[in-house]
Amino acid sequence: MIVIRNARILGGEPRDILIANGLISEIGAGLGGDTVIEADGLIALPGLVDLHTHLREPGREDAETVETGTRAAAMGGYTAVHAMANTSPVADTAGVVEQVWRRGQEAGHCDVHPVGAVTSGLEGKHLAELGAMADSQARVRVFSDDGKCVSDAVLMRRALEYVKAFDGVVAQHAQEPRLTEGAQLNEGEVSGRLGLTGWPAVAEEAIIARDCLLAAHVGSRLHVCHVSTAGSVEIIRWAKSKGWNVTAEVTPHHLLLTDSCAESSPVGPYNPIYKVNPPLRTQDDVTALREALADGTIDCVATDHAPHPVEDKETEWAAAAMGMIGLETALSVVQEAMVETGLLDWASVADRMSVRPARIGRLSGQGLPLEVGAPANITLYDPAVRTPVDPTAMVSRSRNTPYEGLTLPGRVVATLLRGRPTVLDGKLA
Ligand SMILES: [Zn+2]
């Protein structure tokens, strides 16, 4: 039996948490156990759940593997991640999703829930075997062509209709392809000054509006990946006001960084570390995204952890890969952008980073309140420290963090997966 001593559950008064057989067996004061985890001053949150992780396996094991990516997840306080389907081969069959799911079980650092591709090979031509993936051992409920947009309205409609049979959800990467041909950076003043091809907000907003209407028309569930513009927020707010089944996520980087990073970073302009899809937007967008996450219009934070090897990032802007890693810094960035600004308290952080993403992914046993009888999926977090971000200290196989040198608050001290520590004293257990 493990006892966590003096943890502040959701930031409340200190309590002891007793764990037996993977479950929380008692919460109180002066509890004893065989193993003691001292948690003075630490906040206890339900284990974090990520709806949007790129683990890169199979196919790009030089960037990340299920093993290294789930280690990074545990270090970030996560007890479950959804692994995106844009691998090689694509996760578009029961065979591939079961392979990823099994690798996650073998690694054991956190639960791995494969996302199934919407279309075969992410080619946008034919629906993938959605039913077979749902019925597989991996029990897929989230389907996405992420990295690419399901731009064909008929295919999108069919996918939304199809997933209703097993209470699935289509997670759309909203990017109108014709409007973003060759696009490099948010279309605006900065892209104009830098001479980079603009990536207009309307390319995201047009797809989100269309998909909200399609989801309402067929009575299905839509999830919008990585919302990045103020206009997208307005559309989602409108769809929710209609009672439609639409949910949305925002990434930590879109809550903190703007397109001006591409112009005036500490290391000079055109640093491709800031190249990401969707692109970093303006300060007005950041403000709107923060408000939307606070008022629940945006349901959750998802990392879009996108590891890339050095040679794919450290090249000229136009040739560089899009994406940044984020699992190990997500909670710190959310503290900086949302808690330090007074927009979210810790109970709401738990809601946006654990409860709601687990519900959207239809996970049982994750995202549950820290109560007696619940699975002991617990993150212990020290909000009081501030440390400079050091990429070389990260456990992800890749190093493409945009926060290098930035001083961020907080540190994950321990992560427990069904009562078993995966991280202790800030190190892999
Ligand atoms: Zn995406």
Side-chain angles (χ1 to χ4, degrees):
M1 290 204 292
I2 295 177
V3 65
I4 300 171
R5 209 165 267 164
N6 289 327
R8 296 168 52 208
I9 297 172
L10 306 181
E13 293 301 309
R15 292 276 186 280
D16 297 347
I17 304 170
L18 188 66
I19 296 164
N21 302 318
L23 304 175
I24 297 175
S25 60
E26 201 176 342
I27 296 174
L31 303 180
D34 315 320
T35 309
V36 175
I37 299 175
E38 294 292 351
D40 281 318
L42 305 185
I43 289 170
L45 301 171
L48 306 184
V49 176
D50 195 13
L51 268 176
H52 195 142
T53 310
H54 295 276
L55 293 177
R56 300 297 190 219
E57 187 179 347
R60 284 309 300 268
E61 289 84 353
D62 57 328
E64 196 80 283
T65 64
V66 173
E67 170 75 34
T68 61
T70 54
R71 273 188 214 160
M75 288 291 281
Y78 287 88
T79 52
V81 299
H82 289 76
M84 274 300 170
N86 63 339
T87 49
S88 179
V90 170
D92 57 3
T93 63
V96 178
V97 294
E98 282 185 350
Q99 180 194 348
V100 173
W101 175 79
R102 208 170 296 117
R103 291 285 297 112
Q105 294 238 311
E106 288 160 8
H109 304 294
C110 72
D111 292 347
V112 173
H113 298 280
V115 172
V118 175
T119 69
S120 295
L122 306 180
E123 287 174 350
K125 295 199 180 94
H126 311 282
L127 280 192
E129 301 169 8
L130 309 185
M133 288 189 276
D135 290 342
S136 74
Q137 283 185 294
R139 294 183 47 78
V140 175
R141 289 295 176 273
V142 183
F143 296 87
S144 182
D145 274 5
D146 183 63
K148 290 186 177 172
C149 181
V150 182
S151 61
D152 183 317
V154 173
L155 266 182
M156 187 62 184
R157 174 188 177 157
R158 282 205 203 115
L160 286 163
E161 284 173 330
Y162 202 113
V163 299
K164 286 166 70 178
F166 35 83
D167 196 23
V169 62
V170 180
Q172 175 71 293
H173 170 116
Q175 180 190 354
E176 210 292 316
R178 291 273 291 142
L179 286 169
T180 51
E181 273 174 25
Q184 297 292 326
L185 186 65
N186 176 53
E187 182 178 296
E189 290 173 24
V190 178
S191 66
R193 279 197 294 272
L194 292 178
L196 292 172
T197 305
W199 189 313
V202 65
E204 174 173 311
E205 294 156 5
I207 293 290
I208 294 175
R210 181 202 75 176
D211 287 354
C212 287
L213 293 165
L214 283 173
H217 183 60
V218 303
S220 187
R221 282 210 290 148
L222 170 72
H223 178 72
V224 184
C225 294
H226 41 53
V227 171
S228 74
T229 79
S232 298
V233 167
E234 285 308 305
I235 294 162
I236 292 161
R237 193 171 278 137
W238 166 75
K240 286 192 166 189
S241 77
K242 298 280 207 182
W244 299 344
N245 226 330
V246 174
T247 56
E249 69 189 34
V250 62
T251 71
H253 46 274
H254 288 106
L255 289 171
L256 194 67
L257 306 175
T258 67
D259 58 354
S260 66
C261 291
E263 187 172 40
S264 53
S265 83
V267 292
Y270 301 100
N271 182 353
I273 199 76
Y274 302 111
K275 184 173 175 182
V276 64
N277 179 351
L280 300 174
R281 304 287 188 179
T282 68
Q283 190 59 52
D284 286 347
D285 294 305
V286 168
T287 302
L289 293 169
R290 288 180 179 188
E291 285 170 359
L293 184 64
D295 72 21
T297 301
I298 293 178
D299 297 80
C300 62
V301 175
T303 67
D304 197 5
H305 176 82
H308 291 291
V310 170
E311 60 272 23
D312 290 355
K313 279 306 269 189
E314 292 185 6
T315 174
E316 64 166 318
W317 182 285
M322 291 182 281
M324 31 185 77
I325 59 172
L327 285 167
E328 294 172 73
T329 47
L331 193 46
S332 289
V333 173
V334 168
Q335 184 184 348
E336 175 83 357
M338 302 299 297
V339 180
E340 308 279 291
T341 52
L343 288 164
L344 287 185
D345 58 15
W346 290 107
S348 304
V349 169
D351 181 69
R352 308 302 195 273
M353 297 186 78
S354 175
V355 178
R356 292 216 215 182
R359 201 181 292 153
I360 292 164
R362 295 295 191 255
L363 305 185
S364 54
Q366 293 282 350
L368 299 172
L370 299 181
E371 295 170 352
V372 172
N377 297 317
I378 303 173
T379 300
L380 295 177
Y381 183 71
D382 181 359
V385 296
R386 286 190 80 90
T387 38
V389 176
D390 177 7
T392 64
M394 291 187 179
V395 305
S396 168
R397 181 159 285 178
S398 292
R399 293 284 174 270
N400 53 306
T401 172
Y403 310 115
E404 179 173 8
L406 211 67
T407 297
L408 289 176
R411 186 177 82 111
V412 172
V413 176
T415 310
L416 286 84
L417 177 63
R418 288 180 285 280
R420 180 174 54 83
T422 54
V423 170
L424 265 185
D425 296 325
K427 297 183 207 67
L428 290 166

